[in-house]
Each structure stands twice: as C-alpha cells, then as structure tokens.
C-alpha cells in the first residue's frame, strides 16, 4: 500500500522465495500419487493431520492466548462424526470429512459458554474436563461400539488405491486450507485484534475490540480444524475408539510440536510437525523411553530457545516466510528512508 510520504511493505525477500518454493512443493504434492509410493502418501496424510491439529492449537494458544489442554475433544468428535455420518446416515465417507469438521465446530458454540467462564489455568482444566465428558459419552454409545470402538466398514467396497488417493488429496487440501486460514486471519484487522487480546484483553477492549466475539470466532475455527484433523486421521485408519480418539496425548503432542517449532509463528508448527513425525516414526518403538525423550527434548529446547527452533532461526537470520507484520518505509527529503516496524499486535496500520 502506497501513500504520499510512506510505503507499507507486507512481504520480504524470504517470503517471496518461500512462495515460489511452496508452489513447487504443492505441484510435487499434487502429482505424488503418480510417481510416489503408497507409504509416502500415507506419511503425508499422517504429517498433515499433525500439522493441521498443531496449527489450530497454535492459533488458539499462540495467537489467541487461550491455552487449551482439551483440544483432543474436538479431534475425537471429528472422528466420531465421520463414522456417524458415513456408517449410520449413508453419506459418502469422503464428503463426511468437512461435514464432521463443521459438526465439531457447531459443538464448540455451546461448550464455549462453559469454558469461557473460566480464566487462565481454570480454562485449561475446563477444556480437559469437557474432552473427558465427550470420551465418556462415546464410551457408553453401544451403537458406535462403546468402549472398544468400531470400524469404518463402509469403506470395504472402495478399492484401496482409490481410497488412499482421495484421502491423500483431502489431506493436502486440509494443509493448504489450515495454513491459508491462519495466514489470512493474521494479515487482516482480525489478526491485529487477536494479538492485541493476547497481549492485554483490557487494553484491547479499551480500543473498541469486541474481545468475546473475537475469542469465540478463534475458538470455533480451532475446533473446526481439530475436527478436520480427526476426521482425516480416522478416515485413513478406518477404526476409532474413545480412549484413543479422546486421549490427552493428542494435545500433548500438539503442544510439543508448537513449542519445539516455535509458538506464535506460522512456520513453527510446520517445522515441529515434520520433526515430530520423524521422531515418532523412528523412535516410537522405545515405548515409554520415547515419551521421556520427547519431554526432555521439549525442556531443553524451551530453555535454550524459548521461542522454539524457528523463533531462534528467525531471530538470528531475520527470516519471515509468512510475514504478518507491516513495515512502514517513510519517505524523506533527498530520498532517504526511515524504517519502522508495525503490526503483529505491536503497531496497527489500516
């Protein structure tokens, strides 16, 4: 945006290079079913589920300041709604994926009336209690297998290659949607309002921001994303049970991904999801020692790099692949420019 006297810069050289790389990567991802292996496709689906879920948790906690330890509740709901729509209502299972995410988001509306009454640590505990209520509800639903769970038998008639290919494309589309959603939100005035609320609700409210409405929108969007990740994951795995779908490990892993990668950044969950997938894929056979190792790694990274690995790299090299701030370049006499940072919750510029 240009005006007499100044120019607002919203892109960096690194972000422009990253955009070109992202187009190439997306082209490779779209054509993967024709040159890749089924194992590679399943790996992409798994990473996509982690990435979408962690990105939504990062939006909720890293940008919105609402630290939830019960997001597995909406992931499990997404999975179970997929089974209900496909198994009980006869809807095409692939169409059920966005429908299940939408249903999870709708459930977030009434539950927000409960958890939004709580603050800080009480909010976190309240979200976990809510997820446990969901788990107990489905554990007592005999029509969905009760505590032992159920299988997605409607997929039996669909050839395996077709099933895996469509699931793969849904996963790639979900990643593009999740990253695009977060990036678009944070570059808008809504993103400025969100980061202002994170920094100080009282100050944000004094500037005319409807704090309750902004937090509700973010909470519902994060629930939609969690439901989308859950529906995708269980569409790929074809079996669901309440103890696994509503396990607190889901949220613990998303926290690990975001903290390792870099909380409050779009790049952090992407980097963290890739690292977590590598660790999970090659070290999970070590059982409880694997979980101990993840915990120790998280502690070391948080102590050494409080902003995560991407935060450290960004601070050292000035990299911003997804710039959400505005840089104002002031025009002065003789062509000299004076630069100031704006946006990102620190400075607003329309």
């Amino acid at each position: 945006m240009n005006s007499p006297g100044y120019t607002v810069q919203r892109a960096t050289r690194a972000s422009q290079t990253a955009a070109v790389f992202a187009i190439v990567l997306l082209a490779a991802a779209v054509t993967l079913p024709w040159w890749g292996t089924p194992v590679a496709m399943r790996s992409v689906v798994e990473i996509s589920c982690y990435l979408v879920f962690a990105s939504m948790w990062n939006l909720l906690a890293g940008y919105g300041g609402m630290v939830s330890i019960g997001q597995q509740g909406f992931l499990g709901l997404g999975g179970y709604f997929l089974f209900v729509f496909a198994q009980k209502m006869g809807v095409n299972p692939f169409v059920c994926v966005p429908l299940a995410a939408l249903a999870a988001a709708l459930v977030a509306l009434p539950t927000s009336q409960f958890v939004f009454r709580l603050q800080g640590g009480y909010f976190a505990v309240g979200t976990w209690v809510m997820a446990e209520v969901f788990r107990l509800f489905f554990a007592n639903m005999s029509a969905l297998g009760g505590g032992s769970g159920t299988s997605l038998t409607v997929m039996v008639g669909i050839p395996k290659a077709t099933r895996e290919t469509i699931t793969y494309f849904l996963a790639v589309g979900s990643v593009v949607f999740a990253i695009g959603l977060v990036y678009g939100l944070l570059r808008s005035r809504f993103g400025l309002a969100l980061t202002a609320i994170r920094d100080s609700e009282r100050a944000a409210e004094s500037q005319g921001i409807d704090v309750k409405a902004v937090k509700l929108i973010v909470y519902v969007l994060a629930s939609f994303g969690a439901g989308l990740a859950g529906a995708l994951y269980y569409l790929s795995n074809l079996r669901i049970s309440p103890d696994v779908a509503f396990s607190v490990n889901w949220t613990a892993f998303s926290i690990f991904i975001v903290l390792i990668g870099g909380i409050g950044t779009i790049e952090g969950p992407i980097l963290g999801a890739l690292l977590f997938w590598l660790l999970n894929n090659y070290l999970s056979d070590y059982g409880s020692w694997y979980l101990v190792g993840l915990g120790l790694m998280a502690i070391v990274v948080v102590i050494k790099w409080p902003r995560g690995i991407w935060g450290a790299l960004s601070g050292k090299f000035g990299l911003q692949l997804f710039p959400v701030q505005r840089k104002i370049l002031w025009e002065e006499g003789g062509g000299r420019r004076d630069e100031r940072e704006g946006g990102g919750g620190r400075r607003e510029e329309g």
Side-chain angles (χ1 to χ4, degrees):
M1 182 176 70
N2 298 323
S3 294
Y6 69 89
T7 302
V8 178
Q9 187 181 73
R10 305 204 64 185
T12 65
R13 182 169 296 178
S15 71
Q16 292 168 342
T17 304
V20 175
F21 179 73
I23 292 172
V24 174
L25 189 63
L26 183 61
V30 169
T31 58
L32 181 64
W34 285 275
W35 55 268
T37 64
V39 174
M41 291 170 61
R42 285 193 288 273
S43 298
V44 171
V45 172
E46 187 178 0
I47 295 170
S48 300
C49 293
Y50 294 143
L51 175 54
V52 172
F53 188 54
S55 293
M56 292 299 113
W57 189 87
N58 185 44
L59 176 66
L60 187 69
Y63 288 106
M66 292 177 279
V67 180
S68 167
I69 57 172
Q71 283 306 98
Q72 72 274 10
F74 295 104
L75 183 140
L77 282 179
Y80 265 102
F81 278 128
L82 166 76
F83 278 65
V84 170
F85 294 151
Q87 295 275 91
K88 304 299 180 185
M89 301 175 66
V91 181
N92 183 296
F94 303 112
V95 176
C96 289
V97 172
L99 293 179
L102 183 61
L106 291 176
V107 174
L109 289 172
T111 58
S112 68
Q113 300 302 310
F114 163 65
V115 296
F116 278 12
R117 295 174 182 270
L118 308 171
Q119 299 291 328
Y122 295 103
F123 174 84
V125 173
T127 57
W128 174 75
V129 170
M130 181 191 63
E132 281 297 291
V133 171
F134 292 155
R135 184 185 68 80
L136 292 171
F137 175 80
F138 284 101
N140 288 283
M141 285 283 289
S142 57
L144 292 171
S148 59
T150 184
S151 299
L152 195 61
T153 55
V154 293
M155 299 289 274
V156 171
I158 302 175
K160 184 178 179 181
T162 303
R163 187 181 71 229
E164 290 186 342
T165 301
I166 297 178
T167 303
Y168 170 79
F169 282 125
L170 284 172
V172 172
S174 297
V175 168
V176 174
F177 168 77
I179 295 176
L181 173 69
V182 176
Y183 192 37
L185 280 178
L186 294 175
R187 284 175 65 89
S188 68
R189 295 179 67 86
F190 181 88
L192 290 172
L194 181 62
T195 50
I197 292 172
R198 177 197 60 188
D199 295 339
S200 173
E201 285 192 20
R202 182 171 297 180
E205 199 165 21
S206 69
Q207 295 300 311
I209 296 173
D210 190 339
V211 173
K212 187 175 180 181
V214 172
K215 291 175 70 173
L216 177 62
I217 291 171
V218 170
Y219 183 72
V220 171
L221 287 176
S223 303
F224 179 89
L228 183 63
L232 266 176
Y233 185 84
Y234 288 104
L235 179 69
S236 174
N237 282 268
L238 305 179
R239 181 164 181 80
I240 192 170
S241 67
D243 287 345
V244 176
F246 297 101
S247 170
V248 74
N249 283 345
W250 282 107
T251 299
F253 291 152
S254 72
I255 294 173
F256 173 84
I257 289 170
V258 173
L259 289 182
I260 290 288
I263 190 168
T265 65
I266 299 175
E267 299 89 342
I270 300 173
L271 179 61
L274 291 172
L275 286 174
F276 176 74
W277 177 81
L278 288 172
L279 293 170
N280 190 51
N281 203 44
Y282 293 104
L283 302 178
S284 60
D285 290 340
Y286 291 95
S288 58
W289 285 109
Y290 160 68
L291 297 176
V292 171
L294 288 184
L296 290 174
M297 183 176 178
I299 292 171
V300 171
V301 169
V302 168
I303 291 175
K304 189 170 179 59
W305 302 301
R307 295 171 56 203
I309 296 174
W310 179 257
L313 291 173
S314 178
K316 185 172 183 178
F317 300 107
L319 294 175
Q320 280 190 315
L321 304 185
F322 296 93
V324 296
Q325 295 179 337
R326 296 158 174 80
K327 180 176 287 185
I328 304 174
L329 306 178
W330 294 93
E331 300 283 355
E332 292 188 355
R336 189 171 65 87
R337 287 175 178 268
D338 180 25
E339 298 186 5
R340 289 191 293 173
E341 296 288 339
R346 292 179 297 175
R347 179 185 176 89
E348 291 195 15
E349 175 66 28

